[in-house]
Amino acid sequence: ELDLLSQLEAARDLMMLVLQSESRDRRILQRVFGGNCVRVSRVRAVLEAVIFSDMNCRDQRASTCSSACESVEQVLADLGLGFALRLAL
């Protein structure tokens, strides 16, 4: 469980780094998460499937990772990848 939370933290940090990059045209985000949108969809699937124990259910890494996913998904939709995103989800 702690390993998964660490991986979610790393995924969150990567998404936030890409979202906050100085590349205003979102090329980096599109390269990493665009195309068939499977990367962000896999993270979303893990977040929706996992049930944490009482000890870790209040850990903020899962919820902040979910928020980062939502932000990436919104930008991808704004870039015209909404259809690919819906297929991947």
Side-chain angles (χ1 to χ4, degrees):
E1 216 171 82
L2 292 176
D3 288 339
L4 176 59
L5 285 166
S6 293
Q7 293 303 312
L8 291 175
E9 178 181 17
R12 177 206 62 205
D13 291 348
L14 174 66
M15 287 185 270
M16 295 308 297
L17 181 67
V18 171
L19 285 166
Q20 296 169 354
S21 75
E22 293 182 22
S23 177
R24 297 191 188 269
D25 60 2
R26 302 293 191 190
R27 282 182 283 166
I28 295 171
L29 185 134
Q30 208 165 1
R31 284 186 200 156
V32 174
F33 296 105
N36 59 9
C37 301
V38 71
R39 287 187 177 118
V40 72
S41 296
R42 286 180 180 165
V43 175
R44 169 72 61 204
V46 168
L47 288 166
E48 290 175 357
V50 70
I51 299 172
F52 290 106
S53 67
D54 290 342
M55 186 174 84
N56 293 311
C57 67
R58 291 184 184 88
D59 193 298
Q60 294 298 306
R61 290 177 282 190
S63 63
T64 56
C65 186
S66 180
S67 295
C69 278
E70 289 174 21
S71 297
V72 168
E73 291 164 353
Q74 183 60 52
V75 172
L76 291 173
D78 291 346
L79 292 171
L81 293 169
F83 182 72
L85 188 57
R86 285 189 297 279
L87 286 178
L89 292 174

